[in-house]
Amino acid sequence: MVRVQERTLMPETVRDTPTILTVNAGSSSVKWAVFRVDDSPVRTASGHIERIGLADGVVTVTDPRTGQQERRVAQVLSHADAAGWLIKRLTETGEGAGIQAIGHRVVHGGHRYVDPHVVSPEVIEELRRLSPYDPEHLPAELALIEAFADRYPYAKQVACFDTGFHQHLPPVARVLAIPRRYEKQGVRRYGFHGLSYAYLMEELERLAGREAARGRVILAHLGNGASMAAVRDGSSIDTSMGFTPASGLPMSTRSGDLDPGLVSYLARTEGLTVDQFHHLVNAESGLLGISELSPDLRDLLAQEGRDVRAAEAVALFCYQGKKYLGAYAAALGGLDHLVFSGGIGEHAAVVRARMCDGLEFLGIHLDRAANHANAAIISSRESRVTVRVIRTDEESQIARSVYRLLAPDVDQ
């Protein structure tokens, strides 16, 4: 059972150097960062624990000042083990001495939790109830909350919900075309990658001004998980992921949108159970399933010239992305700004080019050299749409959210 204390007096040593720890858990990874609290959170340490549960797990620690990375292989069997490793490191380096608050990315908040929320027994109970909504993420996130509550009982923990950015989806984009009774049970389109999208919109306003951020914007978060969002007047009006993160674009191992009739077909012909089908569309599909080679787009780009399966996987990913760009431009009634982000969106110039190819009728024209260089603005002078590449930073967004919620509790 998760133990959450409402408020515990902090040791004096903690008061002297207040910091915020952010914990961003994926289904098989944990990203973390430590932020010193000044006028705003300032990152002082960060790292990434990958391939949790496998023998060849990788732990990466990054120095924010120099960008230098230290990588080593480490077997981390569970998210609880990942928390133990991180707590040990924070203790040994002294980085954990001043932790006053811990912000967690929580993938699903259901219809009840939208804004960042201080973790309480009531919140934990609701997240446990929601676990069937997202069995890949929520149980692991709850395990992390429990581990850090044990080690830092004086620190407030804050849940930051990935679904929150899409809270104002209009009914036409929110409701699923199934019997209404299911909507009353919370079955609807929620959308995800919300922390990334919130950060990108703040960055767009910082870089291009408030008017730009209030315009017609498409955000493309393209990574191992991939989605797009249509944003107007600063609010999400549609997004490619729906009730679960498996819908929308094809991803590294997730299928993206499928014909629902496939469920009954595979049940009849192969005897697939619900759990087996769930594993199929979340862990065996997407780029991995199509290519039969790798879930990593970099591997497929390297192989597409000599393996038709790799070429078809890349082509499908780019084609589906182009379709969503066109669809969301239609939903927005035009387009002013297109933002690429995520590991693929930030670094794969060829993917950006292929997704935008043929969309000149929408006013999208890329500058080939700028795109190849991963420049901040990759659209040409003749382009009516400004196309940007912005590095996303979910950890900074979590830290900002925690600071805004708890200040002046988290302050010097």
Side-chain angles (χ1 to χ4, degrees):
M1 179 177 178
V2 175
R3 294 171 289 283
V4 180
Q5 296 195 12
E6 294 296 331
R7 185 67 167 165
T8 303
L9 190 64
M10 300 180 192
E12 289 301 319
T13 55
V14 171
R15 295 172 182 269
D16 294 338
T17 55
T19 57
I20 295 170
L21 171 67
T22 65
V23 181
N24 181 348
S27 56
S28 61
S29 66
V30 174
K31 294 180 182 178
W32 59 273
V34 177
F35 292 81
R36 184 182 70 250
V37 176
D38 290 323
D39 293 334
S40 60
V42 178
R43 191 191 310 259
T44 59
S46 63
H48 192 186
I49 304 170
E50 302 172 84
R51 298 176 64 81
I52 292 173
L54 300 178
D56 57 345
V58 177
V59 175
T60 304
V61 178
T62 303
D63 185 332
R65 296 166 299 177
T66 65
Q68 291 185 335
Q69 293 186 332
E70 174 190 340
R71 293 170 61 88
R72 64 184 178 90
V73 175
Q75 189 174 29
V76 182
L77 297 179
S78 67
H79 284 76
D81 284 347
W85 180 93
L86 178 52
I87 289 169
K88 183 174 183 290
R89 174 189 163 77
L90 294 173
T91 302
E92 291 175 348
T93 61
E95 293 164 348
I99 292 175
Q100 290 191 6
I102 303 170
H104 294 265
R105 169 180 171 254
V106 176
V107 169
H108 218 307
H111 69 275
R112 184 173 178 182
Y113 292 115
V114 174
D115 298 319
H117 209 93
V118 174
V119 174
S120 66
E122 181 183 20
V123 172
I124 293 298
E125 182 181 356
E126 178 65 6
L127 293 181
R128 288 202 185 282
R129 189 188 70 81
L130 291 176
S131 287
Y133 282 32
D134 190 0
E136 272 74 43
H137 294 93
L138 283 175
E141 289 158 356
L142 288 167
L144 289 167
I145 290 172
E146 177 177 26
F148 286 103
D150 283 342
R151 178 60 183 85
Y152 303 105
Y154 50 81
K156 282 192 174 181
Q157 301 203 74
V158 176
C160 301
F161 300 100
D162 228 9
T163 46
F165 182 79
H166 307 289
Q167 61 180 299
H168 298 303
L169 282 178
V172 70
R174 185 182 69 235
V175 175
L176 294 171
I178 57 177
R180 281 276 188 178
R181 64 181 181 273
Y182 293 107
E183 185 183 12
K184 295 178 182 178
Q185 298 173 22
V187 179
R188 44 158 282 198
R189 299 185 72 251
Y190 286 95
F192 300 90
H193 286 144
L195 294 172
S196 175
Y197 289 144
Y199 177 84
L200 294 175
M201 289 304 296
E202 289 188 16
E203 283 296 286
L204 180 61
E205 181 170 346
R206 183 182 69 83
L207 294 167
R210 180 173 174 79
E211 184 177 350
R214 303 294 292 184
R216 299 167 297 182
V217 181
I218 295 178
L219 304 172
H221 178 111
L222 308 178
N224 287 330
S227 71
M228 291 189 184
V231 181
R232 184 170 56 214
D233 295 327
S235 293
S236 174
I237 67 161
D238 206 345
T239 188
S240 57
M241 287 179 171
F243 179 65
T244 76
S247 59
L249 293 163
M251 302 166 231
S252 290
T253 62
R254 296 177 190 152
S255 64
D257 288 339
L258 291 174
D259 183 337
L262 188 60
V263 179
S264 59
Y265 171 77
L266 292 177
R268 289 195 307 270
T269 60
E270 296 191 7
L272 252 64
T273 66
V274 171
D275 288 342
Q276 288 171 332
F277 183 82
H278 181 88
H279 182 77
L280 173 73
V281 299
N282 280 281
E284 299 177 2
S285 299
L287 298 177
L288 175 62
I290 300 166
S291 71
E292 299 180 318
L293 296 169
S294 172
D296 193 316
L297 190 70
R298 293 168 295 187
D299 297 339
L300 302 182
L301 287 170
Q303 293 287 331
E304 66 173 343
R306 50 185 175 270
D307 193 313
V308 66
R309 298 170 301 170
E312 288 179 348
V314 174
L316 178 64
F317 182 76
C318 294
Y319 175 68
Q320 294 297 328
K322 181 185 294 189
K323 283 175 59 177
Y324 270 102
L325 290 178
Y328 286 166
L332 290 165
L335 184 61
D336 302 311
H337 296 270
L338 168 60
V339 177
F340 285 101
S341 193
I344 297 171
E346 294 164 23
H347 302 293
V350 65
V351 170
R352 297 192 299 259
R354 292 179 188 179
M355 284 189 178
C356 293
D357 183 41
L359 298 184
E360 291 81 10
F361 72 98
L362 293 177
I364 297 175
H365 297 264
L366 295 190
D367 181 302
R368 184 174 179 179
N371 182 47
H372 183 73
N374 297 321
I377 296 178
I378 61 173
S379 47
S380 66
R381 291 184 178 181
E382 64 181 310
S383 183
R384 296 196 308 274
V385 176
T386 301
V387 185
R388 293 179 178 269
V389 177
I390 301 178
R391 179 184 176 276
T392 194
D393 191 342
E394 292 170 322
E395 289 71 45
S396 286
Q397 188 63 28
I398 295 169
R400 292 175 186 177
S401 298
V402 171
Y403 183 72
R404 290 165 184 162
L405 178 67
L406 298 182
D409 288 350
V410 182
D411 214 337
Q412 295 190 24

Coordinates of all heavy atoms in Angstrom, one line a residue, residues 186-257:
G186 N -16.4 6.6 -18.3 CA -15.1 7.2 -18.5 C -14.5 6.8 -19.8 O -13.3 7.1 -20.0
V187 N -15.1 6.0 -20.6 CA -14.6 5.5 -21.9 C -14.8 6.6 -22.9 O -15.9 6.8 -23.4 CB -15.2 4.2 -22.3 CG1 -14.6 3.7 -23.6 CG2 -15.0 3.1 -21.2
R188 N -13.7 7.3 -23.3 CA -13.7 8.4 -24.2 C -12.3 8.6 -24.7 O -11.4 7.9 -24.4 CB -14.2 9.7 -23.5 CG -13.6 9.9 -22.2 CD -13.7 11.3 -21.7 NE -12.6 12.1 -22.3 CZ -12.2 13.3 -21.9 NH1 -12.8 13.8 -20.8 NH2 -11.3 14.0 -22.5
R189 N -12.1 9.5 -25.6 CA -10.8 9.9 -26.1 C -10.2 10.9 -25.1 O -10.8 11.9 -24.8 CB -10.8 10.5 -27.5 CG -11.4 9.5 -28.5 CD -11.3 10.0 -30.0 NE -9.9 10.0 -30.4 CZ -9.2 11.1 -30.6 NH1 -9.7 12.3 -30.4 NH2 -8.0 11.0 -31.1
Y190 N -9.0 10.6 -24.6 CA -8.3 11.5 -23.7 C -7.1 12.2 -24.3 O -6.9 13.4 -24.0 CB -7.8 10.7 -22.5 CG -8.9 10.2 -21.5 CD1 -9.5 9.0 -21.7 CD2 -9.4 11.1 -20.5 CE1 -10.5 8.6 -20.8 CE2 -10.4 10.7 -19.7 CZ -11.0 9.4 -19.8 OH -12.0 9.1 -19.0
G191 N -6.3 11.5 -25.1 CA -5.1 12.1 -25.6 C -4.0 12.1 -24.6 O -4.2 12.1 -23.4
F192 N -2.7 12.0 -25.1 CA -1.6 11.9 -24.2 C -0.5 12.8 -24.7 O -0.7 13.7 -25.5 CB -1.1 10.4 -24.2 CG -2.2 9.5 -23.7 CD1 -3.1 8.9 -24.5 CD2 -2.3 9.3 -22.3 CE1 -4.1 8.1 -24.1 CE2 -3.4 8.5 -21.8 CZ -4.2 7.9 -22.7
H193 N 0.7 12.6 -24.2 CA 1.9 13.5 -24.5 C 1.6 15.0 -24.1 O 2.2 15.9 -24.6 CB 2.3 13.5 -26.0 CG 3.0 12.2 -26.4 ND1 2.8 11.6 -27.6 CD2 3.9 11.4 -25.7 CE1 3.5 10.5 -27.6 NE2 4.2 10.4 -26.5
G194 N 0.7 15.1 -23.1 CA 0.2 16.5 -22.7 C 1.3 17.3 -22.1 O 1.4 18.5 -22.3
L195 N 2.2 16.7 -21.3 CA 3.3 17.5 -20.7 C 4.2 18.0 -21.8 O 4.7 19.2 -21.7 CB 4.1 16.6 -19.7 CG 3.3 16.2 -18.4 CD1 4.0 15.2 -17.6 CD2 2.9 17.4 -17.6
S196 N 4.5 17.2 -22.8 CA 5.4 17.6 -23.9 C 4.7 18.8 -24.6 O 5.3 19.8 -24.9 CB 5.6 16.5 -24.8 OG 6.3 16.9 -26.0
Y197 N 3.4 18.6 -24.9 CA 2.7 19.6 -25.7 C 2.6 21.0 -24.9 O 2.7 22.0 -25.5 CB 1.3 19.1 -26.0 CG 1.3 18.0 -27.1 CD1 0.4 17.0 -27.0 CD2 2.2 18.1 -28.1 CE1 0.4 16.0 -28.0 CE2 2.2 17.1 -29.1 CZ 1.3 16.1 -29.0 OH 1.3 15.1 -30.0
A198 N 2.4 20.9 -23.6 CA 2.3 22.1 -22.8 C 3.6 22.8 -22.8 O 3.7 24.1 -22.9 CB 1.9 21.7 -21.3
Y199 N 4.7 22.1 -22.7 CA 6.1 22.7 -22.8 C 6.3 23.3 -24.2 O 6.8 24.4 -24.3 CB 7.1 21.6 -22.6 CG 8.5 22.2 -22.7 CD1 9.2 22.8 -21.6 CD2 9.2 22.0 -23.9 CE1 10.4 23.3 -21.7 CE2 10.5 22.5 -24.0 CZ 11.1 23.2 -22.9 OH 12.4 23.7 -23.1
L200 N 5.9 22.6 -25.3 CA 6.1 23.1 -26.6 C 5.3 24.4 -26.8 O 5.8 25.4 -27.5 CB 5.7 22.1 -27.6 CG 6.6 20.8 -27.7 CD1 6.0 19.8 -28.7 CD2 8.0 21.2 -28.0
M201 N 4.1 24.5 -26.3 CA 3.3 25.7 -26.4 C 3.9 26.9 -25.7 O 3.9 28.0 -26.2 CB 1.9 25.5 -26.0 CG 1.1 24.6 -26.9 SD 1.0 25.2 -28.7 CE 0.1 26.7 -28.4
E202 N 4.5 26.6 -24.5 CA 5.1 27.7 -23.8 C 6.4 28.2 -24.5 O 6.7 29.3 -24.6 CB 5.5 27.2 -22.4 CG 4.3 27.0 -21.4 CD 4.7 26.8 -20.0 OE1 5.9 27.0 -19.6 OE2 3.8 26.3 -19.2
E203 N 7.1 27.2 -25.1 CA 8.3 27.6 -25.9 C 7.9 28.3 -27.1 O 8.6 29.3 -27.5 CB 9.1 26.3 -26.2 CG 9.9 25.7 -25.1 CD 11.0 26.7 -24.6 OE1 12.0 26.8 -25.4 OE2 10.8 27.3 -23.6
L204 N 6.9 27.9 -27.8 CA 6.4 28.6 -29.0 C 6.1 30.1 -28.7 O 6.5 31.0 -29.4 CB 5.2 27.9 -29.6 CG 4.6 28.6 -30.9 CD1 5.7 28.6 -32.0 CD2 3.4 27.8 -31.3
E205 N 5.4 30.3 -27.5 CA 5.1 31.7 -27.1 C 6.4 32.4 -26.8 O 6.5 33.6 -27.2 CB 4.1 31.7 -25.9 CG 3.8 33.1 -25.5 CD 2.7 33.1 -24.5 OE1 2.0 32.0 -24.3 OE2 2.4 34.1 -23.8
R206 N 7.3 31.8 -26.2 CA 8.6 32.5 -25.8 C 9.4 32.8 -27.1 O 9.9 33.9 -27.2 CB 9.4 31.6 -24.9 CG 10.7 32.2 -24.5 CD 11.5 31.2 -23.6 NE 12.1 30.1 -24.4 CZ 13.2 30.2 -25.1 NH1 13.9 31.3 -25.1 NH2 13.6 29.1 -25.8
L207 N 9.4 31.9 -28.1 CA 10.2 32.2 -29.3 C 9.5 33.1 -30.3 O 10.1 33.8 -31.0 CB 10.5 30.8 -29.9 CG 11.4 29.8 -29.1 CD1 11.3 28.5 -29.8 CD2 12.8 30.4 -29.1
A208 N 8.2 32.9 -30.4 CA 7.4 33.6 -31.5 C 6.4 34.6 -31.1 O 5.8 35.3 -31.9 CB 6.8 32.6 -32.4
G209 N 6.1 34.6 -29.7 CA 5.2 35.6 -29.2 C 3.8 35.0 -29.0 O 3.5 33.9 -29.5
R210 N 3.0 35.7 -28.2 CA 1.7 35.2 -27.8 C 0.8 35.0 -29.0 O 0.0 34.1 -29.0 CB 1.1 36.2 -26.8 CG -0.3 35.7 -26.3 CD -0.8 36.6 -25.1 NE -2.1 36.3 -24.8 CZ -2.5 35.3 -24.0 NH1 -1.5 34.5 -23.5 NH2 -3.7 35.1 -23.7
E211 N 0.8 35.9 -29.9 CA -0.1 35.8 -31.1 C 0.1 34.5 -31.8 O -0.8 33.8 -32.3 CB 0.1 37.0 -32.0 CG -0.8 37.0 -33.2 CD -0.6 38.2 -34.1 OE1 0.1 39.1 -33.7 OE2 -1.3 38.2 -35.2
A212 N 1.4 34.1 -32.0 CA 1.7 32.8 -32.6 C 1.1 31.7 -31.9 O 0.6 30.7 -32.5 CB 3.2 32.7 -32.8
A213 N 1.3 31.7 -30.6 CA 0.8 30.6 -29.7 C -0.7 30.5 -29.7 O -1.3 29.5 -29.3 CB 1.4 30.7 -28.3
R214 N -1.4 31.6 -30.0 CA -2.8 31.6 -30.0 C -3.4 31.3 -31.4 O -4.6 31.4 -31.7 CB -3.3 33.0 -29.6 CG -2.9 33.4 -28.2 CD -3.4 32.5 -27.1 NE -4.9 32.7 -26.9 CZ -5.6 32.1 -26.0 NH1 -4.9 31.3 -25.1 NH2 -6.9 32.2 -25.9
G215 N -2.5 31.1 -32.4 CA -2.9 30.8 -33.7 C -3.3 29.3 -34.0 O -3.6 28.6 -33.0
R216 N -3.2 28.9 -35.2 CA -3.6 27.5 -35.6 C -2.3 26.7 -35.7 O -1.4 27.0 -36.6 CB -4.3 27.5 -37.0 CG -5.6 28.3 -36.9 CD -6.1 28.6 -38.3 NE -5.2 29.4 -39.1 CZ -5.5 29.9 -40.3 NH1 -6.6 29.5 -40.9 NH2 -4.6 30.6 -41.0
V217 N -2.1 25.8 -34.8 CA -0.8 25.1 -34.5 C -1.0 23.6 -34.6 O -2.0 23.1 -34.0 CB -0.2 25.5 -33.2 CG1 1.1 24.8 -33.0 CG2 -0.1 27.0 -33.0
I218 N -0.1 22.9 -35.3 CA 0.0 21.5 -35.2 C 1.3 21.1 -34.5 O 2.3 21.6 -34.9 CB -0.1 20.8 -36.5 CG1 -1.5 21.0 -37.2 CG2 0.1 19.3 -36.4 CD1 -1.6 20.4 -38.6
L219 N 1.2 20.3 -33.4 CA 2.3 19.8 -32.7 C 2.5 18.4 -33.0 O 1.6 17.6 -33.0 CB 2.1 20.0 -31.2 CG 1.8 21.4 -30.7 CD1 1.4 21.3 -29.2 CD2 3.0 22.3 -30.9
A220 N 3.8 18.0 -33.4 CA 4.1 16.6 -33.8 C 5.1 16.1 -32.8 O 6.3 16.4 -33.0 CB 4.5 16.5 -35.2
H221 N 4.7 15.3 -31.9 CA 5.7 14.7 -30.9 C 6.0 13.3 -31.5 O 5.2 12.4 -31.4 CB 5.0 14.6 -29.5 CG 5.9 13.9 -28.5 ND1 6.5 14.5 -27.5 CD2 6.3 12.6 -28.4 CE1 7.2 13.7 -26.8 NE2 7.1 12.5 -27.3
L222 N 7.1 13.2 -32.1 CA 7.5 11.9 -32.8 C 8.7 11.3 -32.1 O 9.8 11.8 -32.2 CB 7.8 12.2 -34.3 CG 6.8 13.0 -35.1 CD1 7.2 13.3 -36.5 CD2 5.4 12.3 -35.1
G223 N 8.5 10.2 -31.4 CA 9.5 9.4 -30.8 C 9.1 8.0 -30.8 O 8.4 7.5 -31.6
N224 N 9.6 7.2 -29.7 CA 9.2 5.8 -29.6 C 7.6 5.8 -29.5 O 7.0 4.9 -30.1 CB 9.8 5.2 -28.4 CG 11.3 4.9 -28.6 OD1 11.7 4.7 -29.7 ND2 12.0 5.0 -27.5
G225 N 7.1 6.7 -28.8 CA 5.7 7.0 -28.8 C 5.5 8.2 -29.7 O 6.2 9.1 -29.6
A226 N 4.5 8.2 -30.5 CA 4.3 9.3 -31.5 C 2.8 9.7 -31.5 O 1.9 8.9 -31.5 CB 4.7 8.9 -32.9
S227 N 2.6 11.0 -31.5 CA 1.3 11.6 -31.6 C 1.3 13.0 -32.2 O 2.4 13.6 -32.3 CB 0.6 11.6 -30.3 OG 1.1 12.6 -29.4
M228 N 0.2 13.5 -32.6 CA 0.0 14.8 -33.1 C -1.1 15.5 -32.4 O -2.1 14.8 -32.0 CB -0.1 14.9 -34.6 CG 1.1 14.5 -35.4 SD 0.9 14.8 -37.2 CE 2.4 14.2 -37.8
A229 N -1.1 16.8 -32.3 CA -2.2 17.5 -31.7 C -2.5 18.8 -32.5 O -1.6 19.4 -33.0 CB -1.9 17.9 -30.2
A230 N -3.8 19.1 -32.7 CA -4.2 20.3 -33.3 C -4.6 21.3 -32.2 O -5.4 21.0 -31.3 CB -5.4 20.0 -34.2
V231 N -4.0 22.5 -32.2 CA -4.2 23.4 -31.1 C -4.6 24.8 -31.7 O -4.0 25.3 -32.7 CB -2.8 23.7 -30.4 CG1 -3.0 24.6 -29.2 CG2 -2.3 22.3 -29.8
R232 N -5.7 25.3 -31.2 CA -6.2 26.6 -31.6 C -6.5 27.4 -30.4 O -7.1 27.0 -29.4 CB -7.5 26.4 -32.5 CG -8.0 27.8 -33.0 CD -9.1 27.5 -34.1 NE -10.2 26.7 -33.5 CZ -10.9 25.8 -34.2 NH1 -10.6 25.6 -35.5 NH2 -11.9 25.1 -33.6
D233 N -6.1 28.7 -30.4 CA -6.3 29.6 -29.2 C -5.7 29.0 -28.0 O -6.2 29.2 -26.9 CB -7.8 29.9 -29.0 CG -8.4 30.7 -30.2 OD1 -7.6 31.5 -30.8 OD2 -9.6 30.5 -30.5
G234 N -4.6 28.2 -28.2 CA -3.9 27.7 -27.0 C -4.5 26.4 -26.5 O -3.9 25.8 -25.5
S235 N -5.6 25.9 -27.0 CA -6.2 24.7 -26.5 C -6.2 23.6 -27.5 O -6.4 23.8 -28.8 CB -7.7 25.0 -26.1 OG -7.7 25.9 -25.0
S236 N -6.1 22.4 -27.1 CA -6.1 21.2 -27.9 C -7.5 21.0 -28.4 O -8.5 20.9 -27.6 CB -5.6 20.0 -27.2 OG -5.8 18.8 -28.0
I237 N -7.7 20.9 -29.8 CA -9.1 20.6 -30.3 C -9.1 19.2 -30.9 O -10.2 18.7 -31.1 CB -9.5 21.6 -31.4 CG1 -8.6 21.5 -32.6 CG2 -9.5 23.1 -30.8 CD1 -9.2 22.2 -33.8
D238 N -8.0 18.6 -31.1 CA -8.0 17.2 -31.5 C -6.6 16.6 -31.3 O -5.6 17.4 -31.3 CB -8.4 17.0 -33.0 CG -9.0 15.6 -33.2 OD1 -8.8 14.7 -32.4 OD2 -9.6 15.5 -34.3
T239 N -6.5 15.3 -31.2 CA -5.2 14.7 -31.0 C -5.3 13.2 -31.4 O -6.4 12.6 -31.4 CB -4.7 14.8 -29.5 OG1 -3.3 14.3 -29.4 CG2 -5.6 14.0 -28.6
S240 N -4.1 12.7 -31.9 CA -4.2 11.3 -32.5 C -4.4 10.2 -31.5 O -5.0 9.2 -31.9 CB -2.9 11.1 -33.4 OG -1.8 11.3 -32.6
M241 N -3.8 10.3 -30.3 CA -4.0 9.2 -29.4 C -5.4 9.4 -28.7 O -5.9 10.5 -28.6 CB -2.9 9.3 -28.3 CG -1.6 8.8 -28.7 SD -0.4 8.9 -27.4 CE 1.0 8.0 -28.1
G242 N -6.0 8.3 -28.3 CA -7.4 8.4 -27.8 C -7.6 7.9 -26.4 O -7.1 8.5 -25.5
F243 N -8.3 6.8 -26.3 CA -8.5 6.2 -24.9 C -7.3 5.7 -24.3 O -7.1 5.7 -23.1 CB -9.6 5.1 -25.1 CG -9.9 4.4 -23.8 CD1 -10.5 5.1 -22.7 CD2 -9.6 3.1 -23.6 CE1 -10.8 4.5 -21.5 CE2 -9.9 2.4 -22.4 CZ -10.5 3.1 -21.3
T244 N -6.4 5.1 -25.2 CA -5.1 4.6 -24.7 C -4.0 5.2 -25.6 O -4.3 5.7 -26.7 CB -5.0 3.1 -24.8 OG1 -4.8 2.7 -26.1 CG2 -6.3 2.4 -24.2
P245 N -2.7 5.1 -25.2 CA -1.6 5.6 -26.0 C -1.3 4.7 -27.2 O -0.4 5.0 -28.0 CB -0.4 5.6 -25.1 CG -1.0 5.6 -23.7 CD -2.3 4.8 -23.8
A246 N -2.1 3.6 -27.4 CA -1.8 2.7 -28.6 C -2.4 3.2 -29.9 O -2.2 2.6 -30.9 CB -2.3 1.3 -28.2
S247 N -3.3 4.2 -29.8 CA -4.0 4.6 -31.0 C -3.4 5.7 -31.7 O -2.4 6.3 -31.2 CB -5.5 5.0 -30.6 OG -5.4 6.1 -29.7
G248 N -3.8 6.0 -32.9 CA -3.3 7.1 -33.7 C -2.2 6.6 -34.7 O -2.4 5.7 -35.4
L249 N -1.0 7.3 -34.7 CA 0.1 7.0 -35.5 C 0.7 5.6 -35.2 O 0.7 5.3 -34.0 CB 1.2 8.1 -35.4 CG 0.9 9.5 -35.9 CD1 1.9 10.5 -35.3 CD2 0.9 9.5 -37.4
P250 N 1.2 4.9 -36.2 CA 2.0 3.8 -35.8 C 3.3 4.2 -35.1 O 3.8 5.3 -35.4 CB 2.4 3.1 -37.2 CG 2.2 4.2 -38.2 CD 1.2 5.1 -37.6
M251 N 3.8 3.5 -34.1 CA 4.9 3.9 -33.3 C 6.0 2.8 -33.3 O 5.9 1.9 -34.2 CB 4.4 4.2 -31.9 CG 3.4 5.3 -31.9 SD 2.5 5.4 -30.3 CE 0.8 5.4 -30.8
S252 N 6.9 2.9 -32.4 CA 8.0 1.9 -32.4 C 7.5 0.5 -32.3 O 7.8 -0.4 -33.1 CB 9.0 2.2 -31.3 OG 9.7 3.4 -31.5
T253 N 6.6 0.2 -31.3 CA 6.1 -1.1 -31.1 C 4.6 -1.1 -31.0 O 3.9 -2.1 -30.9 CB 6.7 -1.8 -29.9 OG1 6.3 -1.0 -28.7 CG2 8.2 -1.9 -30.0
R254 N 3.9 0.1 -31.0 CA 2.5 0.2 -30.9 C 1.9 0.3 -32.3 O 2.5 0.9 -33.2 CB 2.1 1.4 -30.1 CG 2.5 1.4 -28.7 CD 2.1 2.6 -28.0 NE 2.7 2.7 -26.6 CZ 3.0 3.9 -26.0 NH1 2.7 5.0 -26.6 NH2 3.5 3.9 -24.8
S255 N 0.7 -0.3 -32.5 CA 0.1 -0.4 -33.8 C -0.4 0.9 -34.4 O -0.4 1.1 -35.6 CB -1.1 -1.4 -33.7 OG -2.1 -0.9 -32.9
G256 N -0.9 1.8 -33.5 CA -1.7 2.9 -34.0 C -3.1 2.4 -34.3 O -3.5 1.3 -33.9
D257 N -3.8 3.2 -35.1 CA -5.2 2.9 -35.3 C -5.3 1.6 -36.1 O -4.6 1.2 -37.0 CB -5.9 4.0 -36.2 CG -6.1 5.3 -35.4 OD1 -6.1 5.2 -34.2 OD2 -6.2 6.3 -36.0

